[in-house]
Amino acid sequence: MKKDKHAVLSILRDKILSGALKQGDRLVEIPTAEMLGVSRTPVRIAFRALEQEGLLTQLPRRGYQVREITNDEIAGSVEVRGVLEGLAARQIVEKGLAGEVIAELKQCLSDGDALFSDRSFNEEKVQTYVEMNRKFHDVLVKGSQNNAIAMALQINEHMPMASVSSLVFNPDESDREYERLYYAHQQHHDIVQAIEAGQGARAESLMKEHAQAAMNRYEQLSKGTTSRTIRSE
Amino acid sequence: MKKDKHAVLSILRDKILSGALKQGDRLVEIPTAEMLGVSRTPVRIAFRALEQEGLLTQLPRRGYQVREITNDEIAGSVEVRGVLEGLAARQIVEKGLAGEVIAELKQCLSDGDALFSDRSFNEEKVQTYVEMNRKFHDVLVKGSQNNAIAMALQINEHMPMASVSSLVFNPDESDREYERLYYAHQQHHDIVQAIEAGQGARAESLMKEHAQAAMNRYEQLSKGTTSRTIRSE
DNA sequence: AATATTGAAATTGGATCCAATTGATCAAAA
DNA sequence: TTTTGATCAATTGGATCCAATTTCAATATT
């Protein structure tokens, strides 16, 4: 089994994002290398990259540490995602390239519609939703033809809780959760409609609002019920 | 002379941004290491980081290459900077923390005013202006108390021509250049005024416009006169 | 008992070594 | 002459080694 060049980086990032490595945990080169069955070199490179991504901080001579991410930081991160994805939506319209992406976006919409056709909502459906959601945002960002947006988002997407690929779901309130995701999906509809109609500014502000919605949800949560985080990729 | 841990990274980045390494130039570990008088290890780490920053691309088994940055990419990057700095301006107002940063911003304003007190404009003054400008944007971003903005901008700031710390100046048209920078400085005044007045949305759009102004300039340019790029830090 | 000192352990950073892969070159065969 | 095959050089990725620095603890000294 030939490991990919970035395997160590991915594995470590995953462990952090999934919570296997908790905030505040210390991470040292040699033990980490042994744990993963590789040498120190790839671990070192990965640590540096994760530091750059803001997931680790270096304690001088005491290894690295999984950074504490405050709620404020998550909120800030969501704002950033909002303006960047908003820009993407606007630029799709402004560049007049909407036609080429609309089809893909509409595919996402109908995939979503299918999910909401009956009110039942289990974990599997949520997983599908998360993937569709991710696809939607992906198409939008790529469709903007502005690579700087993707680059700027990249770091953001590695922020726990703030990325499009992770979503908090509380199975005990599946009814309310249904409502919430349904609402988010309606926003997708509105956004596509705005893009199609050439309403760049409207698409932009809808998109910002859409990012914000996830945040409201998160704030309302935070008092640790039995919710689960579901991620894609 | 003890080299900093990130010395190699900084040196290479600088060579790229300053044009000492041109777009399309190939970069290989061993010769680069020899050139800098270090071993391959720090060079490898630097290459990875520069790849992540979008300044290098890896050609499989053929080393790395300084990426070609198209005008479109620069334009996109400027747009991104606009929305992010716009967000920063708005959040300063929204968070009600304006008081603490206003003083610093005003310092920048009066430093700038001094520069424009007579119409003479030499290269030294431009250098001072670039530093003041950088400070202004820095204060604004830090003042927003939203670290995600700084993180997202970070990559952007390593993009040649698109960052706040680099500015193109044509000494042959120092009169027109004076006008341009004076106008940009007036925009700074307006932005501070908006922040002070608690006009978040206005501050945001002024800031976006301000980023855009630099771009207009760049497009108008591009037909290679004898202009110089002046950078800070 | 408190403090200074010394030395070992931990830890990182850089250098060098080795292996694997692939592109290039050159020669041989069709 | 063109194509194919084989060998070699280039290049990266990972492993290990060595040096420098800092913390920590234990011991000696006052």
Side-chain angles (χ1 to χ4, degrees):
Chain A
M1 177 168 45
K2 189 175 59 177
K3 279 196 200 170
D4 180 270
K5 181 170 51 161
H6 298 119
V8 173
L9 177 57
S10 303
I11 291 170
L12 288 176
R13 185 161 48 219
D14 240 50
K15 279 186 190 294
I16 296 171
L17 293 183
S18 71
L21 287 168
K22 294 203 198 334
Q23 303 193 344
D25 279 1
R26 277 185 59 203
L27 236 35
V28 177
E29 281 184 13
I30 295 177
T32 308
E34 277 167 5
M35 172 178 74
L36 300 177
V38 297
S39 87
R40 281 176 55 209
T41 313
V43 172
R44 268 161 66 182
I45 291 175
F47 280 5
R48 294 269 178 105
L50 291 168
E51 186 186 20
Q52 151 82 16
E53 287 175 16
L55 287 165
L56 294 183
T57 43
Q58 184 170 21
L59 316 173
R61 299 281 149 195
R62 317 225 40 203
Y64 285 74
Q65 188 176 33
V66 181
R67 234 190 77 215
E68 310 268 352
I69 310 268
T70 66
N71 279 6
D72 278 0
E73 270 180 285
I74 293 173
S77 191
V78 167
E79 288 274 359
V80 166
R81 183 154 68 80
V83 299
L84 288 173
E85 291 185 345
L87 173 61
R90 169 158 60 84
Q91 289 204 308
I92 286 182
V93 173
E94 286 175 354
K95 295 193 176 171
L97 300 159
E100 303 169 27
V101 278
I102 288 276
E104 282 188 278
L105 290 177
K106 286 201 165 165
Q107 182 61 49
C108 291
L109 291 184
S110 50
D111 286 358
D113 291 344
L115 274 177
F116 292 105
S117 60
D118 69 276
R119 291 187 59 91
S120 83
F121 226 63
N122 52 24
E123 192 144 330
E124 190 199 335
K125 276 192 162 186
V126 176
Q127 180 71 43
T128 313
Y129 176 83
V130 169
E131 266 147 34
M132 179 278 289
N133 185 49
R134 188 191 155 77
K135 178 90 195 282
F136 185 89
H137 289 253
D138 243 48
V139 169
L140 219 113
V141 170
K142 291 223 177 74
S144 75
Q145 302 275 65
N146 182 345
N147 194 241
I149 297 177
M151 304 254 300
L153 274 172
Q154 189 179 311
I155 282 183
N156 230 267
E157 285 309 301
H158 298 146
M159 186 77 62
M161 302 294 110
S163 87
V164 274
S165 24
S166 85
L167 182 146
V168 215
F169 179 75
N170 182 348
D172 294 343
E173 296 191 20
S174 84
D175 263 16
R176 188 170 301 187
E177 295 296 59
Y178 175 93
E179 300 287 354
R180 169 169 72 104
L181 297 183
Y182 184 75
Y183 178 63
H185 186 58
Q186 290 314 307
Q187 290 183 316
H188 284 178
H189 273 280
D190 291 346
I191 290 161
V192 172
Q193 194 211 348
I195 292 175
E196 215 172 359
Q199 301 165 338
R202 179 168 165 244
E204 180 170 21
S205 59
L206 281 171
M207 200 69 208
K208 283 205 248 186
E209 191 54 36
H210 180 56
Q212 207 51 48
M215 192 60 213
N216 297 337
R217 156 68 181 168
Y218 180 75
E219 274 171 350
Q220 180 191 75
L221 192 78
S222 276
K223 33 206 152 192
T225 50
T226 51
S227 44
R228 292 248 258 295
T229 301
I230 294 169
R231 307 202 319 121
S232 112
E233 240 85 321
Chain B
M1 176 168 45
K2 189 175 58 177
K3 280 197 200 169
D4 180 89
K5 181 171 49 160
H6 297 119
V8 173
L9 176 57
S10 304
I11 292 170
L12 287 177
R13 184 160 49 219
D14 239 51
K15 279 187 191 291
I16 297 172
L17 293 183
S18 71
L21 288 169
K22 294 203 197 336
Q23 304 193 343
D25 279 2
R26 277 186 59 203
L27 236 35
V28 178
E29 281 183 12
I30 295 176
T32 308
E34 278 167 5
M35 173 178 74
L36 300 177
V38 297
S39 87
R40 282 177 54 211
T41 312
V43 173
R44 268 160 65 181
I45 291 176
F47 279 5
R48 294 269 179 106
L50 291 168
E51 186 187 20
Q52 151 83 15
E53 288 175 15
L55 259 44
L56 294 183
T57 43
Q58 185 170 21
L59 316 173
R61 299 284 152 194
R62 318 225 38 205
Y64 286 75
Q65 187 175 35
V66 180
R67 237 190 74 214
E68 309 269 353
I69 311 267
T70 66
N71 280 5
D72 278 0
E73 270 181 285
I74 293 173
S77 191
V78 168
E79 288 275 358
V80 165
R81 182 153 68 79
V83 299
L84 288 173
E85 291 186 346
L87 173 62
R90 170 159 59 84
Q91 289 205 307
I92 286 182
V93 174
E94 286 175 355
K95 294 194 176 171
L97 300 159
E100 302 169 27
V101 277
I102 288 277
E104 281 187 280
L105 290 178
K106 286 202 164 163
Q107 182 60 49
C108 291
L109 290 184
S110 50
D111 287 357
D113 290 345
L115 275 178
F116 292 104
S117 59
D118 68 277
R119 292 186 60 90
S120 82
F121 225 62
N122 51 24
E123 192 144 330
E124 189 199 334
K125 276 191 164 186
V126 177
Q127 179 70 44
T128 313
Y129 176 82
V130 169
E131 266 148 35
M132 179 277 288
N133 186 48
R134 188 191 155 77
K135 177 91 196 279
F136 185 89
H137 289 254
D138 243 48
V139 169
L140 219 113
V141 169
K142 292 225 178 72
S144 75
Q145 301 275 62
N146 181 346
N147 195 241
I149 297 177
M151 304 255 298
L153 274 172
Q154 188 179 311
I155 283 185
N156 229 267
E157 286 310 302
H158 298 145
M159 187 75 60
M161 302 293 111
S163 88
V164 273
S165 23
S166 84
L167 182 145
V168 213
F169 179 74
N170 182 349
D172 293 343
E173 297 191 20
S174 84
D175 264 17
R176 187 170 303 188
E177 294 296 60
Y178 175 93
E179 299 288 354
R180 170 170 72 103
L181 297 183
Y182 184 74
Y183 179 63
H185 186 57
Q186 290 314 307
Q187 289 183 316
H188 283 179
H189 273 280
D190 290 347
I191 289 160
V192 173
Q193 193 212 348
I195 292 176
E196 215 172 359
Q199 300 164 339
R202 179 168 166 246
E204 180 171 22
S205 58
L206 281 171
M207 200 71 208
K208 284 205 248 185
E209 192 54 37
H210 179 56
Q212 207 52 48
M215 191 60 213
N216 297 338
R217 156 70 180 165
Y218 180 76
E219 275 172 350
Q220 183 190 72
L221 194 77
S222 275
K223 34 206 153 194
T225 50
T226 51
S227 44
R228 291 247 259 293
T229 302
I230 294 169
R231 306 202 320 119
S232 110
E233 240 86 322

